[in-house]
Amino acid sequence: MRILLVNVPHPAIGSRIPDDHLPPLGLLAVGGPLIDDGHTVRLIDGEFGPAATGDLAAEAVAWHPDAVLFGHSGSTSGHPVIAEVAAAIAIALPGTPVVYGGVFPTYHWREILREEPHVTAIVRGEGEETARRLMAALAAGTSLDAVPGIAFRDEAGPWATPDAAVIRDIDAYRVGWELIDHARYSYWGGLQAVVVQFSRGCPHLCNYCGQRGFWTRWRHRDPIRFAWELARLHREHGVRVINFADENPTVSRKAWRIFLEALIAEEVDLILVGSTRADDIVRDADILHLYKRAGWARFLLGLESTVEATLARIRKGATTTTDREAIRLLRRHGILSMATWVVGFEEETDRDYWRGLRQLLSYDPDQIQMLYVTPHRWTPYFRLAAGRRVIQTDRRRWDYKHQVLATRHMPPWRVLLWFKFIELAVQGRPRALARVLLHPDQGLRHAMRWYTRMGRRVWSHEILGFLRDPLVQDGPSVAAFWGQPQEAEEESMRAMRAERPVETCLSV
Ligand code: SF4
């Protein structure tokens, strides 16, 4: 089959403001196994330009695909764009199956199949094996019922097959790096870059996060093979920056240490950036020199809040002492720390923001990333927030950089003022500015200056956006806006499945 992978331009500030673009790892991860199955696969990346919907549709038509696949890592906010581009391609290529995968469709498959007739099938959960089986079934015209982990539409309406088995051996599926021109992709201020994934999932239980639900359990790749692959990307494709998509790659100290030592042995000049938990950094205090030697330049630490009560309520399982210590340890080893701090919890007052700011300043992170609490339907936090009022009904804005829920004690303009003031106070204090201007490590200085430049552009974009895009005064509740929680959906599907055997064939 001729299979076209389409990466749509994402509307989020994080995608539109920087000049750098990273490869769409999810589509490449699906593309590699499809190539190995003998399909002819091509990727169109609409992030460059960004490409207009009509241009993407015209490019798709010109290639004459037998199937078109969509997916996006910025899942909720990317969905409206995928819906628009997929509809345009379906009109231009009637009868060509349109397949859609990723986090949002995994948890909203029923609504998508009801409301978007151009979508043929949805890949639910991790996609490598499921996409292979689905494409084989479409090519052969056999029953889609036999493909676990998908949803499709039959005469009775949207229907989901049982969940696919969790992939035990992630190394059995290779990333289709040959689908991209590496020279086009960059990060860290114009350095050639890729996104990779050492591990999937997370063993922790923070209730606003969907990692555990989507990936089911934490697994990791073979650390030595993984280090070899990074080294090969550097040697053969000139990649300089490796951006880890993992939320928590350091869960197993043993595996992580093997990876670090294997990468050091490869002797490649790589810059590694990614996220992890503060308590893993503290746990690894005695091997942080290996992190540095392997190339680690920055860790994003999800501090989320500096209030112990909030940390307990969101089940973060962290303490303010650990967070502070992690930042100190990273600095001692010449690794930048970026703290994420989430605002918009319902009960917050001016006093909470003021106290949080003072605590953030005492943590002294190198960089800060402020986010708004955003309850997705697939997280346990959704239930806690179900009764809160939605003030942002444009789904493209559900990207963590826009306030989407009303807060009880202050209007949105005051939340925004605090949001921007905290950023300014943390990034603009003399000590932080001195690091940006005078950091002894030239590479880190370059990175901090790049981040500061980008932050300045984001600043004006966010403030103009707030003034331009009206918020809803009396919006629906979260539950009314997104529908019932995920567990209820799954329960009703299980009941339907028990009652009804289905045979559905779609051929291309
Ligand atoms: S927020 Fe981070 S630590 Fe918590 S469950 Fe998600 S990935 Fe794990």
Side-chain angles (χ1 to χ4, degrees):
M1 282 176 85
R2 287 168 68 80
I3 300 171
L4 185 64
L5 311 175
V6 181
N7 188 37
V8 301
H10 194 258
I13 292 169
S15 297
R16 297 284 54 91
I17 293 290
D19 300 322
D20 294 321
H21 295 292
L22 286 162
L25 178 65
L27 289 172
L28 301 184
V30 165
L34 291 175
I35 295 170
D36 294 345
D37 276 358
H39 299 291
T40 303
V41 182
R42 186 185 163 204
L43 169 78
I44 298 179
D45 195 341
E47 283 285 5
F48 295 97
T53 297
D55 295 341
L56 284 173
E59 207 176 335
V61 172
W63 196 67
H64 305 296
D66 297 315
V68 185
L69 269 63
F70 290 90
H72 206 292
S73 53
S75 212
T76 300
S77 45
H79 173 71
V81 189
I82 288 184
E84 183 183 308
V85 174
I89 291 179
I91 290 168
L93 290 169
T96 305
V98 170
V99 174
Y100 183 14
V103 178
F104 185 85
T106 292
Y107 297 106
H108 287 261
W109 58 267
R110 201 191 293 263
E111 296 96 316
I112 294 172
L113 289 170
R114 257 191 222 126
E115 293 158 18
E116 298 174 26
H118 50 270
V119 176
T120 311
I122 283 173
V123 173
R124 299 163 42 242
E126 59 191 344
E128 290 90 341
E129 182 59 32
T130 304
R132 289 179 64 198
R133 291 181 180 175
L134 175 58
M135 288 302 136
L138 287 172
T142 53
S143 169
L144 296 191
D145 254 348
V147 181
I150 64 165
F152 54 91
R153 202 182 297 100
D154 69 1
E155 309 78 46
W159 176 256
T161 60
D163 294 346
V166 171
I167 294 175
R168 283 169 175 271
D169 178 11
I170 315 176
D171 288 290
Y173 302 86
R174 70 176 186 87
V175 177
W177 293 118
E178 66 268 48
L179 291 166
I180 59 166
D181 172 2
H182 280 275
R184 300 179 83 194
Y185 293 93
S186 60
Y187 188 62
W188 212 240
L191 301 183
Q192 203 165 303
V194 289
V195 192
V196 297
Q197 200 183 33
F198 172 63
S199 65
R200 293 182 171 179
C202 179
H204 297 278
L205 293 165
C206 313
N207 65 17
Y208 55 88
C209 174
Q211 283 292 315
R212 193 181 170 109
F214 186 79
W215 299 112
T216 308
R217 62 185 172 80
W218 191 81
R219 294 151 281 154
H220 64 84
R221 290 190 53 187
D222 178 289
I224 295 176
R225 281 177 66 176
F226 184 65
W228 175 84
E229 184 174 345
L230 301 194
R232 188 185 67 79
L233 286 167
H234 175 73
R235 293 195 182 106
E236 295 179 11
H237 298 288
V239 170
R240 286 292 322 284
V241 181
I242 306 286
N243 190 332
F244 280 61
D246 311 48
E247 295 292 329
N248 203 349
T250 53
V251 168
S252 162
R253 175 178 156 103
K254 187 175 164 203
W256 190 241
R257 183 176 187 146
I258 294 171
F259 160 66
L260 294 173
E261 288 174 342
L263 190 57
I264 292 167
E266 292 283 354
E267 295 186 352
V268 281
D269 182 17
L270 285 172
I271 296 166
L272 312 181
V273 294
S275 311
T276 197
R277 279 179 63 98
D279 38 14
D280 285 5
I281 296 294
V282 175
R283 177 202 68 194
D284 286 351
D286 60 327
I287 59 165
L288 284 177
H289 62 285
L290 297 179
Y291 283 58
K292 181 68 181 173
R293 281 181 61 204
W296 276 96
R298 187 184 72 190
F299 270 108
L300 185 149
L301 301 172
L303 308 188
E304 326 310 4
S305 175
T306 52
V307 182
E308 294 284 3
T310 306
L311 288 172
R313 203 179 51 259
I314 61 179
R315 302 185 67 188
K316 179 72 187 171
T319 66
T320 49
T321 320
T322 318
D323 292 341
R324 194 192 311 260
E325 176 65 359
I327 290 169
R328 192 188 68 80
L329 284 168
L330 287 175
R331 177 160 299 123
R332 213 170 79 197
H333 288 85
I335 300 172
L336 299 179
S337 57
M338 175 190 272
T340 60
W341 206 64
V342 182
V343 304
F345 292 102
E346 188 171 24
E347 61 288 339
E348 283 166 351
T349 61
D350 292 316
R351 207 164 147 212
D352 293 319
Y353 284 119
W354 177 245
R355 207 170 45 204
L357 169 61
R358 289 183 52 192
Q359 262 188 302
L360 274 175
L361 290 173
S362 77
Y363 283 14
D364 193 21
D366 294 299
Q367 296 171 335
I368 182 160
Q369 186 177 65
M370 300 282 291
L371 303 170
Y372 289 99
V373 68
T374 306
H376 294 296
R377 202 172 82 180
W378 50 88
T379 62
Y381 183 72
F382 183 89
R383 274 190 188 279
L384 295 180
R388 289 184 66 183
R389 291 280 146 205
V390 171
I391 55 170
Q392 178 54 266
T393 53
D394 182 347
R395 293 165 191 213
R396 291 169 305 164
R397 306 279 181 255
W398 280 60
D399 60 358
Y400 300 95
K401 296 302 278 180
H402 294 84
Q403 186 182 351
V404 295
L405 302 182
T407 41
R408 198 182 309 158
H409 301 297
M410 62 179 78
W413 63 265
R414 208 154 90 217
V415 177
L416 180 73
L417 270 187
W418 272 115
F419 191 98
K420 302 316 290 178
F421 177 62
I422 292 171
E423 278 180 347
L424 187 66
V426 176
Q427 296 286 179
R429 73 210 143 106
R431 195 189 288 187
L433 285 179
R435 286 188 194 119
V436 173
L437 295 171
L438 307 168
H439 198 288
D441 182 320
Q442 193 189 350
L444 296 185
R445 211 165 55 230
H446 159 84
M448 285 197 284
R449 288 181 184 180
W450 161 70
Y451 189 73
T452 306
R453 275 197 307 277
M454 217 166 44
R456 278 206 304 264
R457 288 164 65 189
V458 167
W459 242 73
S460 48
H461 193 91
E462 282 181 342
I463 290 172
L464 285 176
F466 181 84
L467 297 172
R468 196 187 48 219
D469 303 333
L471 292 169
V472 177
Q473 290 292 334
D474 192 21
S477 68
V478 170
F481 186 66
W482 286 117
Q484 60 181 337
Q486 191 52 34
E487 307 91 284
E489 283 278 321
E490 283 164 6
E491 193 50 48
S492 83
M493 193 64 229
R494 268 195 292 276
M496 281 170 68
R497 223 180 264 133
E499 282 172 16
R500 192 183 67 157
V502 179
E503 274 287 309
T504 299
C505 301
L506 292 167
S507 56
V508 294

Coordinates of all heavy atoms in Angstrom, one line a residue, residues 201-212 247-248 276-277 302 304 315-316, ligand 1:
G201 N 5.5 5.7 29.6 CA 4.7 5.6 30.8 C 5.4 6.2 32.0 O 6.5 6.8 31.9
C202 N 4.8 5.9 33.1 CA 5.3 6.5 34.4 C 4.7 5.7 35.5 O 3.5 5.4 35.5 CB 4.9 7.9 34.5 SG 5.6 8.6 36.0
P203 N 5.5 5.3 36.5 CA 4.9 4.5 37.6 C 4.1 5.4 38.6 O 3.5 4.9 39.6 CB 6.1 3.8 38.3 CG 7.2 4.7 37.9 CD 6.9 5.4 36.7
H204 N 4.2 6.7 38.5 CA 3.6 7.6 39.5 C 2.2 7.8 39.2 O 1.7 7.5 38.2 CB 4.4 8.9 39.6 CG 5.8 8.6 40.1 ND1 6.2 8.5 41.4 CD2 7.0 8.5 39.4 CE1 7.5 8.2 41.5 NE2 8.0 8.2 40.3
L205 N 1.5 8.5 40.2 CA 0.0 8.6 40.1 C -0.5 10.0 40.1 O -1.6 10.2 40.6 CB -0.6 7.8 41.3 CG -0.3 6.3 41.3 CD1 -0.6 5.7 42.6 CD2 -1.2 5.6 40.2
C206 N 0.3 11.0 39.6 CA -0.2 12.3 39.7 C -1.6 12.4 38.9 O -1.7 11.9 37.8 CB 0.7 13.3 38.9 SG 2.4 13.0 39.5
N207 N -2.6 13.0 39.5 CA -3.9 12.8 39.0 C -4.3 13.7 37.8 O -5.4 13.5 37.3 CB -5.0 12.8 40.1 CG -5.1 14.1 40.8 OD1 -4.6 15.1 40.2 ND2 -5.6 14.2 42.0
Y208 N -3.4 14.6 37.5 CA -3.7 15.5 36.3 C -3.0 15.0 35.1 O -3.0 15.6 34.0 CB -3.3 16.9 36.6 CG -1.8 17.0 37.0 CD1 -0.9 17.1 36.0 CD2 -1.4 16.9 38.3 CE1 0.5 17.1 36.3 CE2 -0.1 16.9 38.6 CZ 0.8 17.0 37.6 OH 2.2 17.0 37.9
C209 N -2.4 13.8 35.2 CA -1.5 13.4 34.1 C -2.0 12.1 33.5 O -2.5 11.2 34.2 CB -0.1 13.1 34.7 SG 1.0 12.4 33.5
G210 N -1.9 12.0 32.1 CA -2.5 10.8 31.5 C -1.4 9.8 31.1 O -1.7 8.8 30.4
Q211 N -0.2 10.0 31.5 CA 0.9 9.1 31.1 C 0.6 7.6 31.4 O 0.8 6.7 30.6 CB 2.2 9.5 31.7 CG 2.9 10.7 31.1 CD 3.4 10.4 29.7 OE1 4.0 9.4 29.5 NE2 3.1 11.3 28.8
R212 N 0.3 7.4 32.6 CA 0.1 6.0 33.1 C -1.1 5.4 32.4 O -1.1 4.2 32.0 CB -0.2 6.0 34.6 CG -0.1 4.7 35.2 CD -0.4 4.9 36.7 NE -0.6 3.6 37.3 CZ 0.3 3.1 38.2 NH1 1.4 3.7 38.5 NH2 0.1 1.9 38.7
E247 N 8.5 11.3 29.7 CA 8.1 12.1 30.9 C 9.1 11.8 32.0 O 9.3 12.6 32.9 CB 6.7 11.9 31.3 CG 5.6 12.3 30.3 CD 5.6 13.8 30.2 OE1 5.9 14.5 31.1 OE2 5.2 14.3 29.0
N248 N 9.5 10.5 32.1 CA 10.2 10.1 33.2 C 11.2 9.0 32.8 O 11.0 7.8 33.2 CB 9.2 9.5 34.3 CG 9.7 9.6 35.7 OD1 10.9 9.8 35.9 ND2 8.9 9.3 36.6
T276 N 12.3 15.0 33.8 CA 12.3 13.9 34.8 C 11.7 14.4 36.1 O 11.3 15.6 36.2 CB 13.7 13.3 35.0 OG1 13.5 12.0 35.6 CG2 14.6 14.1 35.8
R277 N 11.8 13.6 37.1 CA 11.3 14.0 38.4 C 12.4 14.4 39.3 O 13.5 13.9 39.2 CB 10.6 12.8 39.1 CG 9.2 12.6 38.6 CD 8.6 11.4 39.3 NE 8.5 11.5 40.7 CZ 7.3 11.9 41.4 NH1 6.2 12.2 40.7 NH2 7.3 12.0 42.7
G302 N 9.1 18.9 36.7 CA 7.6 19.2 36.9 C 7.4 19.5 38.4 O 7.0 18.6 39.1
E304 N 5.2 21.7 39.4 CA 3.7 22.0 39.4 C 3.2 23.0 40.4 O 2.5 23.8 40.1 CB 2.9 20.6 39.5 CG 3.5 19.4 39.0 CD 4.0 19.5 37.5 OE1 3.9 20.6 36.9 OE2 4.4 18.5 37.0
R315 N -1.7 14.5 44.0 CA -0.9 13.3 44.2 C 0.4 13.3 43.4 O 0.8 12.3 42.8 CB -1.8 12.1 43.7 CG -3.1 12.0 44.4 CD -3.9 10.8 44.1 NE -3.3 9.6 44.5 CZ -3.7 8.4 44.2 NH1 -4.7 8.3 43.4 NH2 -3.1 7.3 44.6
K316 N 1.1 14.4 43.6 CA 2.4 14.5 42.9 C 3.4 13.6 43.5 O 4.4 13.1 42.9 CB 2.8 16.0 42.9 CG 4.2 16.2 42.3 CD 4.1 16.2 40.8 CE 5.5 16.3 40.2 NZ 5.5 16.0 38.8
Ligands
SF4_1 S1 3.2 14.2 36.0 FE1 5.2 13.2 35.7 S2 5.6 12.0 37.5 FE2 3.4 12.5 37.6 S3 2.4 10.7 36.6 FE3 2.8 12.3 35.0 S4 4.8 11.7 34.1 FE4 4.6 10.7 36.1

